[in-house]
Amino acid sequence: MGTKGIPHPVTHDAQTICYPEFLIKVNDIIQIDLKTGNITDFIKFNAGNLCMVTGGANLGRVAMITDRERHPGSFDVAHVKDANGNSFAIQLSNNFVIGTDNGPWISLPRERVSASAFLRREEIGSQTEQCIK
């Protein structure tokens, strides 16, 4: 809520949209037409939607939201399950919805290699380079 009770979502690139649809709540994802600046579609933060982990030990993993726990006065927790069947819990603030069960709104690698696995490969590569030198 903004000044005088006017709702306004703020995007990651600092755009502010006044008077969005009343169905859009916190942690929902919106799609914006870049020419007009209007909201064309949105995804609710619900179980069954695809998400990407943006922080913590599971950074970069793509998974499906299975459950959401609300903890008043503390961090909310989302339970997710990745394509390999691994289930894990993350803070809600470390989660970013990227699509519905029909498919992601963004393009993903074919292998669905997580960013953390990619970073681990880089670390291993740099360690072997150091050993060679």
Side-chain angles (χ1 to χ4, degrees):
M1 286 290 179
T3 57
K4 299 182 184 178
I6 298 172
H8 65 278
V10 178
T11 63
H12 288 280
D13 61 349
Q15 285 183 321
T16 302
I17 302 167
C18 292
Y19 297 106
E21 294 184 34
F22 66 92
L23 295 174
I24 299 173
K25 304 293 181 201
V26 176
N27 295 322
D28 293 346
I29 300 301
I30 58 175
Q31 185 178 33
I32 300 173
D33 182 11
L34 294 176
K35 291 182 182 177
T36 62
N38 294 331
I39 298 173
T40 57
D41 201 4
F42 66 95
I43 301 176
K44 302 289 290 173
F45 188 91
N46 289 333
N49 289 336
L50 286 175
C51 69
M52 181 173 280
V53 181
T54 58
N58 296 306
L59 175 69
R61 293 175 81 174
V62 175
M64 185 169 287
I65 302 168
T66 57
D67 191 24
R68 176 182 180 172
E69 291 180 11
R70 296 182 188 267
H71 298 279
S74 184
F75 297 108
D76 290 349
V77 175
H79 294 273
V80 295
K81 188 174 190 176
D82 67 2
N84 296 331
N86 300 323
S87 296
F88 51 95
I90 56 173
Q91 287 182 8
L92 199 63
S93 60
N94 291 339
N95 199 354
F96 189 82
V97 176
I98 60 170
T100 61
D101 56 352
N102 297 332
W105 276 8
I106 61 171
S107 57
L108 294 171
R110 245 185 253 189
E111 300 173 10
R112 293 200 174 201
V113 176
S114 68
S116 58
F118 180 73
L119 292 173
R120 276 191 234 119
R121 275 191 250 148
E122 282 187 351
E123 289 174 3
I124 292 169
S126 66
Q127 289 173 357
T128 56
E129 287 175 8
Q130 290 175 356
C131 292
I132 294 171
K133 291 179 184 179

